Amino acid sequence: MSFKSLGLSDSILKAVSNQGYTEPSPIQEKAIPLILERKDVLASAQTGTGKTAGFTLPILQILSRGQQLRHRPIRALVLTPTRELAAQVHDNVKSYSAFLDIKSTVIFGGVNQRPQVSTLRNGVDILVATPGRLLDLHNQRLLSLAKIEILVLDEADRMLDMGFKRDIDKIMALMPARRQNLLFSATFSREIKNLANSILHHPVLVEATPENTTVDAISQKVYRVAKGLKTGLIIKLISDGNWKQVLVFTRTKHGANRLCKKMISAGISAAAIHGNKSQGARTKALAGFKKGDVRVLVATDIAARGLDIPLLPHVINFELPNISEDYVHRIGRTGRAGASGEALSLVSADETSYLRDIEKLVGIKISSEIIEGFEPDPNASTEPIKKSQGGGRRNQSRNNKPSSSSDSGNSNKNTYRSNKSRRPKQNNDRRSNSRRN
Ligand code: AMP
């Protein structure tokens, strides 16, 4: 299958070929023709599948069909949960529209609104936005959604997780009822189905690959360890392995900061990326990590979501997530594009039930090891960690600070995950419990 056979125009084909893409990814192959037919689409896909081009390319084709109005109203709106993802999506839109008379911009909170407003004033065809800033500017009458023809909800599951349902409802009321709707989600919980039912009209369901577990290329291992020995163990693993680029996940922002400091004291360059960090700090951390100046990036789940980090050899779960699906998202950061990767989890007694749930979700028993000198504490309780220690996802997400578009561009071309979907089986109960944390 070629991009040409999908019915895309020469200008779009040229942009696609400039990106180095030779053939459409599975999600693109399925979604593009349907979107061009102006169908509402409910797509199961997450970051890494090539979903962004999957919706952007046909939108560009549709918008560039007739004559452009002199005053350009916003005709397509892409809503994303995080500022990083918004910046990333907009970078893609810009690349794919390089040879078209289409204007686009991105707006998100945490930065001065003035430059965003002045770009909007000049007229844009495609707007990529996070819900908060969008409503904010709308309330100030600085933008109008009255001419929206196409709406994309990107990573809709994450948007609901982050508590954006009310904002989404408000935004829906600002757009014309007659429009094309595209909803992308990595998982299909009951809430997502309800949202889809309320927004989409006779949607066509598109799945990149069958429901599946984790990718074969990722080797997964658990180290059983006493809670107090985790820092020592992670430093040992990174030092002994002489690993140069490691993404480490913690459950809390404070945990991320603490670990980062200890790494630095141990002589390992590290930076933390989470919701309490300023935009500047996040941008700098990510850029340093991508360039190789920073060996270890310590991240919380929300902050890491949507980051386009190429070919990551090592992902370490310093703590297991209390939402099993997050484990799948986390380890999906390694083993991209068929490259092999390693996902390690440091598991203390109080995370035993999390591990059990994760193994149930991914459908395998993850092999476990004990390293001499870092043994688990035989007397520690296996009671799960108290919920209050879990990080307050909803609060954290609302405070997410952005990275600028300049550091989140197309640095890893040709890296959509062509093999297996990382879409986990559903585990709704756990998800809804943890959301109340
Ligand atoms: P996404 O899932 O949209 O975040 O895309 C993941 C990565 O795959 C990005 O770095 C894209 O540039 C890349 N990509 C998207 N489509 C293709 C394609 N057809 N061939 C190769 N790489 C692609």
Side-chain angles (χ1 to χ4, degrees):
M1 166 79 71
S2 67
F3 277 105
K4 200 175 166 72
S5 63
L6 294 175
L8 296 168
S9 71
D10 286 346
S11 306
I12 295 176
L13 293 177
K14 191 167 154 195
V16 162
S17 124
N18 272 5
Q19 293 298 304
Y21 308 164
T22 49
E23 55 178 37
S25 70
I27 191 78
Q28 292 163 1
E29 217 175 286
K30 290 179 188 167
I32 291 173
L34 292 167
I35 300 172
L36 288 175
E37 281 174 38
R38 309 306 308 269
K39 295 259 193 322
D40 276 13
V41 169
L42 177 57
S44 135
Q46 66 182 68
T47 303
T49 54
K51 68 180 165 63
T52 315
F55 61 75
T56 305
L57 300 180
I59 289 177
L60 289 172
Q61 172 111 342
I62 292 165
L63 297 188
S64 55
R65 268 172 200 157
Q67 274 233 303
Q68 295 296 359
L69 296 171
R70 210 144 48 97
H71 169 71
R72 293 171 189 244
I74 303 163
R75 296 168 64 197
L77 172 67
V78 182
L79 277 182
T80 74
T82 65
R83 298 157 187 180
E84 278 88 0
L85 184 61
Q88 200 170 293
V89 168
H90 183 237
D91 280 349
N92 281 289
V93 172
K94 274 193 299 190
S95 309
Y96 303 143
S97 59
F99 305 104
L100 294 169
D101 179 22
I102 292 282
K103 288 191 180 176
S104 60
T105 196
V106 59
I107 60 171
F108 45 66
V111 290
N112 191 328
Q113 71 175 44
R114 225 176 289 150
Q116 298 177 352
V117 172
S118 85
T119 314
L120 285 169
R121 272 216 188 97
N122 292 332
V124 294
D125 305 288
I126 303 178
L127 177 63
V128 184
T130 52
R133 178 56 61 96
L134 181 75
L135 283 171
D136 197 3
L137 296 190
H138 191 278
N139 289 342
Q140 298 175 56
R141 299 179 186 278
L142 294 170
L143 61 84
S144 164
L145 301 178
K147 301 284 181 203
I148 294 290
E149 296 168 32
I150 309 172
L151 166 73
V152 182
L153 290 176
D154 196 10
E155 300 201 353
D157 50 348
R158 192 54 52 151
M159 266 195 265
L160 294 187
D161 269 2
M162 290 171 66
F164 283 134
K165 175 73 173 70
R166 279 184 59 188
D167 285 355
I168 293 174
D169 289 343
K170 283 187 201 155
I171 294 166
M172 293 306 130
L174 306 174
M175 289 182 286
R178 252 181 79 96
R179 52 166 204 267
Q180 186 175 13
N181 301 289
L182 315 171
L183 189 151
F184 286 75
S185 183
T187 53
F188 280 123
S189 61
R190 192 157 19 102
E191 289 92 337
I192 281 291
K193 285 180 188 150
N194 290 342
L195 182 73
N197 284 340
S198 70
I199 292 176
L200 305 174
H201 299 287
H202 306 294
V204 185
L205 184 68
V206 170
E207 287 182 275
T209 41
E211 204 162 298
N212 214 317
T213 55
T214 42
V215 172
D216 301 339
I218 302 172
S219 99
Q220 300 170 64
K221 198 191 282 177
V222 159
Y223 288 105
R224 294 279 190 174
V225 57
K227 208 178 181 66
L229 298 176
K230 280 189 177 188
T231 306
L233 178 57
I234 196 168
I235 289 171
K236 177 185 164 55
L237 290 169
I238 294 171
S239 311
D240 287 3
N242 198 17
W243 297 338
K244 300 280 183 242
Q245 208 182 29
V246 191
L247 180 61
V248 176
F249 284 96
T250 58
R251 282 190 308 112
T252 67
K253 292 171 266 188
H254 296 304
N257 285 341
R258 254 196 320 267
L259 182 59
C260 196
K261 273 196 196 135
K262 287 185 181 153
M263 293 257 183
I264 293 168
S265 311
I268 297 173
S269 57
I273 185 161
H274 56 66
N276 282 358
K277 291 271 174 186
S278 69
Q279 182 200 354
R282 286 166 73 143
T283 304
K284 196 165 149 232
L286 186 60
F289 186 62
K290 281 185 172 179
K291 251 178 48 205
D293 297 342
V294 172
R295 271 171 84 181
V296 178
L297 189 67
V298 187
T300 54
D301 289 288
I302 299 269
R305 180 81 174 175
L307 296 185
D308 199 10
I309 300 165
L311 297 173
L312 209 52
H314 299 103
V315 168
I316 304 181
N317 296 307
F318 187 73
E319 288 142 337
L320 286 179
N322 53 353
I323 303 173
S324 304
E325 280 93 342
D326 284 345
Y327 175 83
V328 181
H329 288 302
R330 288 178 179 189
I331 74 161
R333 308 256 152 217
T334 184
R336 286 186 157 199
S340 64
E342 195 171 36
L344 309 174
S345 303
L346 311 192
V347 180
S348 49
D350 53 0
E351 295 169 295
T352 307
S353 65
Y354 296 163
L355 178 62
R356 219 178 18 239
D357 289 348
I358 287 165
E359 289 183 331
K360 218 185 290 167
L361 180 73
V362 299
I364 56 165
K365 174 120 191 68
I366 304 169
S367 75
S368 87
E369 236 181 74
I370 294 172
I371 303 263
E372 213 186 314
F374 298 92
E375 287 84 1
D377 177 357
N379 301 317
S381 160
T382 54
E383 272 295 297
I385 307 140
K386 277 202 209 82
K387 290 204 166 145
S388 58
Q389 288 172 258
R393 157 163 294 182
R394 201 183 269 247
N395 296 337
Q396 174 186 346
S397 56
R398 281 304 198 151
N399 290 330
N400 260 356
K401 298 286 188 299
S403 71
S404 79
S405 53
S406 58
D407 76 337
S408 51
N410 285 327
S411 52
N412 66 335
K413 308 215 167 110
N414 299 320
T415 54
Y416 75 84
R417 294 172 193 154
S418 55
N419 44 5
K420 299 261 165 59
S421 156
R422 285 149 174 86
R423 187 156 77 82
K425 288 173 207 124
Q426 285 169 31
N427 190 355
N428 297 339
D429 292 348
R430 181 136 200 86
R431 186 167 270 273
S432 48
N433 283 340
S434 58
R435 218 178 299 127
R436 285 193 289 270
N437 283 354

